[in-house]
Amino acid sequence: MEEVPPEPPVILDRWGRVINSTIIGPKEEGDDILLTCRVVGGRPQPDVLWFINDNLVDNQIEQNTGNVIENRLLWTSVQRHHLHSVFTCQAANTKLMPPRTAKFVLDMYRNRPDIVPEACGVSAKADGSGAANDDDDDDEDDWPTGTVKPVSVKILNSTQSLATNREYKIVCQSSGSRPDANITWYKGKKALKRSKELVVRNVTVSVLTFVPTVEDDGRLLGCRAENPKVSSLYLEQFQNISVHCE
């Protein structure tokens, strides 16, 4: 019987849409990846296999209808160390020619621990130890390229029970944007100018100098972290201001 190689694999996402890119993601830590490798034709029937970084992870066929074979890969809870992993679907039924393959590289958002300059009165680490996080030894060159929105934005100070005419340093922190986010402060819809910004390894920290007045009581104070290349890629947080007279 003459051996006939299969057609190249076609990869579908969890909604059954064909993936035309060679990039999966970007994904967040903890996300699941569901990919279906569909192969048509081939005589004899090809083996359809999934590899991650050249390690076999799935050789089970979920669907075999006529000359269509599918192998569905579920990879749960991706973690930071999976960044740039290579997912390969391979279809092979003959030694007369190389297997047919489809390859994809995993891209991920990079979440960072709370990093705040000590000048703000907050330690460099969220647990208050001030010690450097082990992940800070990562090379920035290892980070993925692309333009993505921030994955977090947070005001680190309470704006409750502020005294009138006293100066406060209010800190906003954002991470995950590529390139690094710009932070803008707002009181209601009005942009505020008295702030300083610092970027530490994909974490943007902005410190607002704020002197509340009686008129600020009940208003909203917020910060917006915005991707500098695409203004629609942003996150923001607002919180109520409570002011009392001294």
Side-chain angles (χ1 to χ4, degrees), residues 75-89:
W75 194 255
T76 60
S77 190
V78 296
Q79 300 300 313
R80 182 178 300 177
H81 64 269
H82 293 132
L83 174 68
H84 292 163
S85 291
V86 179
F87 289 67
T88 304
C89 177

Side-chain angles (χ1 to χ4, degrees), residues 36-117:
T36 298
C37 181
R38 177 179 293 169
V39 177
V40 177
R43 191 172 61 240
Q45 177 178 295
D47 293 321
V48 179
L49 311 173
W50 275 106
F51 295 83
I52 298 180
N53 298 328
D54 296 326
N55 297 311
L56 178 64
V57 294
D58 191 340
N59 61 357
Q60 301 297 314
I61 293 175
E62 278 77 26
Q63 183 172 337
N64 186 350
T65 304
N67 65 342
V68 178
I69 302 171
E70 291 185 353
N71 183 344
R72 187 173 297 108
L73 172 68
L74 175 60
W75 194 255
T76 60
S77 190
V78 296
Q79 300 300 313
R80 182 178 300 177
H81 64 269
H82 293 132
L83 174 68
H84 292 163
S85 291
V86 179
F87 289 67
T88 304
C89 177
Q90 173 182 292
N93 68 341
T94 175
K95 296 182 179 180
L96 300 180
M97 64 177 298
R100 297 292 182 94
T101 61
K103 293 179 180 287
F104 301 86
V105 177
L106 176 62
D107 189 8
M108 294 183 65
Y109 296 111
R110 295 299 293 266
N111 293 323
R112 286 287 175 177
D114 288 346
I115 301 175
V116 181

Side-chain angles (χ1 to χ4, degrees), residues 52-196:
I52 298 180
N53 298 328
D54 296 326
N55 297 311
L56 178 64
V57 294
D58 191 340
N59 61 357
Q60 301 297 314
I61 293 175
E62 278 77 26
Q63 183 172 337
N64 186 350
T65 304
N67 65 342
V68 178
I69 302 171
E70 291 185 353
N71 183 344
R72 187 173 297 108
L73 172 68
L74 175 60
W75 194 255
T76 60
S77 190
V78 296
Q79 300 300 313
R80 182 178 300 177
H81 64 269
H82 293 132
L83 174 68
H84 292 163
S85 291
V86 179
F87 289 67
T88 304
C89 177
Q90 173 182 292
N93 68 341
T94 175
K95 296 182 179 180
L96 300 180
M97 64 177 298
R100 297 292 182 94
T101 61
K103 293 179 180 287
F104 301 86
V105 177
L106 176 62
D107 189 8
M108 294 183 65
Y109 296 111
R110 295 299 293 266
N111 293 323
R112 286 287 175 177
D114 288 346
I115 301 175
V116 181
E118 293 184 4
C120 300
V122 185
S123 64
K125 197 177 174 188
D127 61 7
S129 67
N133 189 284
D134 290 340
D135 289 332
D136 290 343
D137 292 332
D138 292 346
D139 245 333
E140 288 188 4
D141 292 339
D142 293 336
W143 289 37
T145 58
T147 302
V148 294
K149 69 185 295 184
V151 297
S152 69
V153 64
K154 184 179 182 181
I155 298 175
L156 303 184
N157 309 69
S158 172
T159 52
Q160 298 297 306
S161 192
L162 303 182
T164 57
N165 301 316
R166 178 182 294 183
E167 183 175 283
Y168 293 89
K169 301 293 186 181
I170 312 296
V171 181
C172 178
Q173 176 179 289
S174 176
S175 66
S177 175
R178 298 201 303 271
D180 297 313
N182 294 331
I183 291 179
T184 305
W185 287 91
Y186 291 90
K187 183 170 64 176
K189 295 182 179 180
K190 179 182 178 182
L192 303 178
K193 302 297 184 183
R194 296 184 63 191
S195 63
K196 293 184 178 181

Side-chain angles (χ1 to χ4, degrees), residues 7-44:
E7 296 181 11
V10 174
I11 309 302
L12 312 176
D13 64 16
R14 64 174 62 241
W15 297 281
R17 301 175 302 194
V18 175
I19 300 177
N20 294 314
S21 171
T22 57
I23 302 295
I24 303 171
K27 299 289 186 180
E28 294 187 15
E29 290 187 60
D31 282 352
D32 296 339
I33 295 176
L34 180 60
L35 300 172
T36 298
C37 181
R38 177 179 293 169
V39 177
V40 177
R43 191 172 61 240

Side-chain angles (χ1 to χ4, degrees), residues 199-243:
V199 178
V200 182
R201 296 185 61 80
N202 200 227
V203 175
T204 302
V205 176
S206 179
V207 182
L208 173 71
T209 300
F210 183 61
V211 180
T213 65
V214 174
E215 290 76 17
D216 292 328
D217 187 52
R219 291 185 176 179
L220 291 175
L221 181 70
C223 64
R224 171 183 288 196
E226 185 176 285
N227 187 298
K229 287 190 175 181
V230 185
S231 60
S232 62
L233 297 180
Y234 69 88
L235 290 177
E236 59 186 16
Q237 182 189 16
F238 283 81
Q239 56 190 38
N240 287 313
I241 306 171
S242 175
V243 181

